[in-house]
Amino acid sequence: LYKALDIHKDLPNDLHTTEILHLLGSTYIEVSEYRKSIEYLERSLEIAEELGYENGIGSNLSNMALSYSFLGE
């Protein structure tokens, strides 16, 4: 995923970038790295909002809520 993100870094923000960031955020939830998860999910959310990608917005907010919940916040 990092390689895919590296490939997309020089391209305009697009659906692929938001999905890659979302997958990285979700992966960090799985390994209990909640702060790191939130960082990636926030970046993904920002792009999803720019694109008007409603499914991405919802998925990112849901996973962010899960991360904050695990952190007790």
Side-chain angles (χ1 to χ4, degrees):
L1 287 173
Y2 290 112
K3 178 109 173 133
L5 188 58
D6 190 49
I7 291 168
H8 281 273
K9 75 176 167 52
D10 296 327
L11 301 174
N13 288 336
D14 65 0
L15 187 61
H16 297 290
T17 304
T18 192
E19 289 295 331
I20 293 164
L21 291 166
H22 178 79
L23 287 170
L24 284 166
S26 298
T27 300
Y28 278 113
I29 291 172
E30 294 296 321
V31 296
S32 303
E33 294 279 342
Y34 306 117
R35 295 266 180 229
K36 195 75 161 170
S37 170
I38 292 166
E39 289 176 30
Y40 282 98
L41 293 169
E42 284 177 340
R43 289 172 55 197
S44 179
L45 177 61
E46 183 179 312
I47 296 168
E49 288 174 336
E50 287 174 15
L51 299 173
Y53 178 44
E54 291 182 14
N55 286 341
I57 293 168
S59 294
N60 283 301
L61 289 173
S62 177
N63 281 351
M64 287 171 68
L66 183 62
S67 290
Y68 281 117
S69 160
F70 282 125
L71 289 169
E73 298 178 16

